Amino acid sequence: METQKFSYDNGIVRAFLYATVVFGLFGMLLGLTVAGLLFYPELPEFLFGTDDLTIKSLFSGDLQGLINSQGKFGFGRLRMMHTNTVIFAFVMNGFFAGAYYSLQRLLKTRMWSDTLSWIHFWGWQFMIVASLVTFMYGINTSKEYAEHEWPIDILITIIWLVFGANMFGTIAKRRVRHLYVAIWFYLGTWVAIAMLHIFNNLEVPLTFGGWKSYSAYAGVKDALVQWWYGHNAVAFVLTTPVLGLMYYFLPKAADRPVFSYKLSIIHFWSLIFVYMWAGPHHLQYTAIPAWAQALATGFSIMLIAPSWGGMLNGLLTLRGAWDKVRENPVLKFFVVAITCYGMATFEGPLLATKTLNKIGHFTDWVIGHVHIGALGWNGFMTFGMIYYLLPIMWRTKLWSTKLANWHFWLGTLGIIFYAVPLYIAGFTQGLMWKQFNPDGTLLYKNWLDTVSAIIPYYEMRFVGGLFYIVGVILMCVNVVATVRQGSFQKNVPAEAPALAKISNTRKQGEGVHLWIERLPVLLTVLSLVAVSLGGLFEIVPTLMIKSNVPTISSVKPYSPLELEGRDIYIREGCNACHSQMIRPFRDEVVRFNGKNGQYSKAGEFIYDRPFLWGSKRTGPDLQREGGKNPSSWHFKHMLNPRVTSAGSIMPRYPWLITNTLDRSQLVAKVVFMKDVYDVPYSKAEIDSADTWADNQASHIVKQIYSEAADVKAEFAKRQAEQGAKFVPLEKREIVALISYLQRLGTDIKTTDVKTASTN
């Protein structure tokens, strides 16, 4: 057969590789900053200014600098920027670099369209920058790993379709008949992410000329869909594509074939099928239906088998090549990465069991678990791939193997010093929260006791992050030096015989899976079926069967001012530190009951778009916050948390007190909720929405002034100084936020303490 000549496009691989390195360093620096804020919450005051004489600042005696920052560098927004940069900019750019490199060589063809490749690259980088800017300005949906607002969601969809079209076009013109295992994982990733992204991000914009949207799902339904997405974003953004890279780059670096072809088949199909059922394990003991929780636990335990099958397939590929691991930094990174994958995929199912979930959930244990995967599995696999590609693509030796080894050891120490303190912190939190005195009162009644106990572990975590980032900086030096000494070849000549046409029907004696491997369309359809079943069986009944979310007659829609306050709460990322879900445990009901004494019920959240249950408690749960503290306390707490709560690590929010509330869309939001989501506002309520908000604001301000004479005097002084320019407290953002906080949990009223369990 005639040999055809063609070339591989290394230019697109180089572009994604550079983006991976740059955004990786940036995202990790953001993460280190966020980690520092947990034990040094005064950092924004140090940088921008403060009126607190106990704090050293670059601008002492002036709070205006902090006010002018408008929270752009606050914990809630930086955390969003960190997680999204690491996930979408570091890991995904790394995946795209590896995929574009490996696809061409596995299929013996150039990418189908260079134009689509570059549209994909620049579109993805634009999406990342747009995400960073919008998050910095507080434009977000609050949904974990899916905080992008609707225009960016649409952009992600378009770019993902471009990538898919290019990948499928490349497969269609391949010169190799059977698709290698790495490509199975690429196809499964593409199908799953497309489905997850679209269904989780169904939302309706308030106006098509603005950024604000509201989720198509509410409360329990929104929570179930979000964690179906959230858990499987971990599965199909941070796991399956990286497994595809493992199946290509590990055998290449070790110069050994994959240990077991059959194990690869079992690994792929069982993983993509089982993963989709496990999402609700993030919602154990919450208000979702009990059957969904039980189903998630069962499938989470089953996940151990395919996950460890993949881990063993990777490690056993190194049989006969372990002597190379001692000398080759690429293999060192791969071995630790696969080991971390095994650790994380064993720990995840354990945390899904109700026994451990009631201790670990909402604690830093989960953060430690996540970072074993992120730093160890994703980070080290990406670093190993970069070190593998550099000498090949630039046709030279790695500038410094010694520097790469230093990177490895610093990174490994960083993972240990990062994760272990968080595990200890998590155990400490979970156990302290549940301790009672003999007389039945909480041993650690003050929430800050449980916070101050883990500050040393936050500091140790920061040291671990420093180790890790120093290693990444060494890698950056190595990359630049290797590139400078090498000679890059953008178009790499290659040749291979054309693929002969044969029938798509299965041949006699041909194995079923071998047959499927040469039929990309069938493989893709079967992957779609595998990843769809979990969602169909778990989510559809919850969305469609009314008894899964029983209503409570006393639960009423939010007032117009409360809607505005809720949007401010989301803007500031408050749900990053505060949950709104009281689980049916004695300690949680006693600790968070306020005046109500009940755990959270599904019917309480029917007007919550989006839901705000949170995934970590740095601060206490707020679901019963309404009426628990006076309005003046909330005012002072937002101005300076350390005045009301000594030792608090919460940041300050003084701009909420100075900002005038934008009420230009206040009525439109009420009308939107009525018309789009059938929220039962009456015509009279809609017509009087502005007056309703004015009256509620006036009531709150009267409370503040009656409770805090110093606040009343300060605003009287400002009014005298500013005259006509003075904006009354009633018109400021802080009052809207207080109205929302004072509403939380007040629709359920009882003096009885009721729990579903004595644990």
Side-chain angles (χ1 to χ4, degrees), residues 348-547:
L350 290 183
L351 279 167
T353 63
K354 288 202 166 186
T355 303
L356 290 180
N357 186 276
K358 65 185 178 185
I359 299 172
H361 193 49
F362 291 131
T363 74
D364 283 286
W365 181 355
V366 177
I367 310 304
H369 161 65
V370 167
H371 281 84
I372 284 288
L375 300 176
W377 167 237
N378 299 129
F380 270 36
M381 276 301 302
T382 304
F383 300 148
M385 182 192 73
I386 291 171
Y387 284 122
Y388 174 82
L389 289 176
L390 279 173
I392 294 174
M393 291 176 61
W394 275 269
R395 299 181 292 179
T396 185
K397 289 184 177 180
L398 187 66
W399 182 68
S400 174
T401 301
K402 186 175 182 180
L403 212 59
N405 282 318
W406 268 101
H407 176 196
F408 169 78
W409 288 111
L410 283 168
T412 303
L413 283 172
I415 294 169
I416 294 169
F417 276 94
Y418 197 103
V420 172
L422 288 182
Y423 286 140
I424 299 171
F427 302 152
T428 302
Q429 286 171 300
L431 295 174
M432 287 181 75
W433 292 348
K434 291 187 172 295
Q435 297 302 306
F436 280 86
N437 290 308
D439 63 358
T441 58
L442 286 166
L443 178 59
Y444 302 102
K445 187 174 183 180
N446 187 343
W447 182 267
L448 285 170
D449 291 340
T450 69
V451 174
S452 58
I454 60 174
I455 295 297
Y457 304 117
Y458 284 158
E459 294 168 343
M460 291 173 66
R461 184 259 290 267
F462 185 83
V463 172
L466 275 177
F467 279 140
Y468 197 88
I469 283 183
V470 170
V472 174
I473 292 171
L474 295 182
M475 181 191 73
C476 293
V477 172
N478 224 347
V479 168
V480 172
T482 304
V483 167
R484 284 183 173 177
Q485 78 176 11
S487 174
F488 181 76
Q489 188 175 21
K490 183 177 180 182
N491 298 300
V492 181
E495 57 182 42
L499 188 65
K501 291 185 178 180
I502 64 171
S503 171
N504 286 338
T505 57
R506 185 182 168 195
K507 296 178 181 180
Q508 186 175 2
E510 183 180 25
V512 173
H513 204 273
L514 202 62
W515 171 61
I516 294 172
E517 287 169 33
R518 63 181 177 87
L519 300 176
V521 174
L522 179 59
L523 179 62
T524 305
V525 170
L526 291 175
S527 298
L528 177 61
V529 172
V531 299
S532 299
L533 289 175
L536 287 172
F537 278 91
E538 288 181 344
I539 293 174
V540 172
T542 307
L543 297 180
M544 304 299 293
I545 302 173
K546 191 173 182 180
S547 61

Side-chain angles (χ1 to χ4, degrees), residues 558-600:
Y558 293 108
S559 73
L561 192 65
E562 290 159 2
L563 277 177
E564 294 286 0
R566 195 171 197 272
D567 286 344
I568 292 170
Y569 184 94
I570 291 170
R571 182 190 76 192
E572 301 299 336
C574 299
N575 56 299
C577 293
H578 293 282
S579 60
Q580 290 185 25
M581 171 53 59
I582 299 174
R583 299 178 296 174
F585 301 143
R586 177 186 169 205
D587 61 285
E588 294 202 9
V589 172
V590 171
R591 184 184 299 279
F592 302 126
N593 66 349
K595 297 180 179 179
N596 300 311
Q598 288 219 25
Y599 60 89
S600 300

Side-chain angles (χ1 to χ4, degrees), residues 77-114:
R77 302 191 197 184
L78 286 179
R79 181 181 178 272
M80 272 184 277
M81 293 165 66
H82 160 61
T83 55
N84 279 268
T85 303
V86 169
I87 292 170
F88 293 101
F90 172 60
V91 177
M92 289 304 286
N93 272 325
F95 162 59
F96 294 140
Y100 275 105
Y101 182 87
S102 59
L103 272 171
Q104 297 180 80
R105 285 148 181 87
L106 288 171
L107 300 172
K108 301 297 183 193
T109 183
R110 191 181 180 90
M111 292 304 296
W112 180 54
S113 169
D114 288 2

Side-chain angles (χ1 to χ4, degrees), residues 622-633:
L622 299 181
Q623 179 57 18
R624 297 284 180 263
E625 185 61 33
K628 192 172 184 180
N629 289 298
S631 295
S632 60
W633 184 91

Side-chain angles (χ1 to χ4, degrees), residues 337-352:
I338 296 167
T339 304
C340 286
Y341 170 65
M343 291 170 59
T345 52
F346 180 72
E347 183 186 14
L350 290 183
L351 279 167

Side-chain angles (χ1 to χ4, degrees), residues 43-352:
L43 178 61
E45 294 174 73
F46 172 79
L47 294 175
F48 301 111
T50 183
D51 57 356
D52 190 339
L53 299 179
T54 65
I55 298 172
K56 292 182 179 180
S57 174
L58 299 177
F59 305 97
S60 292
D62 184 7
L63 194 61
Q64 193 58 45
L66 183 61
I67 293 171
N68 292 341
S69 75
Q70 290 290 308
K72 294 182 182 66
F73 303 95
F75 182 90
R77 302 191 197 184
L78 286 179
R79 181 181 178 272
M80 272 184 277
M81 293 165 66
H82 160 61
T83 55
N84 279 268
T85 303
V86 169
I87 292 170
F88 293 101
F90 172 60
V91 177
M92 289 304 286
N93 272 325
F95 162 59
F96 294 140
Y100 275 105
Y101 182 87
S102 59
L103 272 171
Q104 297 180 80
R105 285 148 181 87
L106 288 171
L107 300 172
K108 301 297 183 193
T109 183
R110 191 181 180 90
M111 292 304 296
W112 180 54
S113 169
D114 288 2
T115 301
L116 288 182
S117 296
W118 287 104
I119 290 173
H120 176 202
F121 174 77
W122 288 113
W124 196 259
Q125 310 319 310
F126 177 76
M127 179 276 294
I128 293 165
V129 174
S131 301
L132 288 170
V133 172
T134 52
F135 294 159
M136 183 180 289
Y137 280 87
I139 300 169
N140 71 89
T141 65
S142 85
K143 291 188 173 187
E144 204 152 357
Y145 314 139
E147 292 96 343
H148 315 89
E149 267 291 3
W150 67 275
I152 298 179
D153 285 335
I154 293 172
L155 178 61
I156 292 173
T157 305
I158 293 170
I159 301 167
W160 197 246
L161 290 173
V162 167
F163 169 57
N166 208 9
M167 179 168 62
F168 285 109
T170 305
I171 291 171
K173 69 169 193 172
R174 70 194 185 279
R175 295 181 177 88
V176 176
R177 190 168 308 284
H178 293 89
L179 302 183
Y180 178 65
V181 57
I183 300 176
W184 312 347
F185 280 94
Y186 299 164
L187 289 173
T189 295
W190 188 85
V191 167
I193 290 178
M195 179 184 70
L196 291 164
H197 175 75
I198 290 170
F199 281 98
N200 184 56
N201 291 296
L202 291 176
E203 55 215 2
V204 181
L206 179 61
T207 65
F208 286 97
W211 284 86
K212 185 64 183 174
S213 68
Y214 293 95
S215 174
Y217 317 102
V220 170
K221 298 175 182 179
D222 194 37
L224 194 58
V225 174
Q226 158 58 23
W227 279 112
W228 173 70
Y229 164 89
H231 176 77
N232 293 303
V234 173
F236 290 94
V237 176
L238 302 177
T239 304
T240 56
V242 185
L243 284 169
L245 300 181
M246 179 196 80
Y247 274 111
Y248 178 80
F249 287 101
L250 179 64
K252 284 285 188 181
D255 196 23
R256 292 287 188 278
V258 170
F259 170 69
S260 171
Y261 166 69
K262 289 183 179 179
L263 192 55
S264 301
I265 296 172
I266 296 169
H267 181 204
F268 173 71
W269 290 107
S270 58
L271 193 76
I272 67 170
F273 172 72
V274 175
Y275 241 125
M276 281 292 180
W277 295 78
H281 78 216
H282 290 265
L283 301 170
Q284 299 286 34
Y285 291 110
T286 67
I288 70 166
W291 61 264
Q293 299 179 41
L295 207 59
T297 299
F299 277 91
S300 296
I301 297 298
M302 286 195 289
L303 263 176
I304 295 175
S307 299
W308 274 49
M311 176 194 69
L312 292 173
N313 213 9
L315 292 177
L316 291 174
T317 296
L318 293 170
R319 69 202 186 286
W322 283 99
D323 56 313
K324 296 181 181 180
V325 176
R326 289 194 297 270
E327 300 174 357
N328 189 338
V330 173
L331 291 178
K332 282 190 178 78
F333 278 105
F334 285 164
V335 167
V336 172
I338 296 167
T339 304
C340 286
Y341 170 65
M343 291 170 59
T345 52
F346 180 72
E347 183 186 14
L350 290 183
L351 279 167

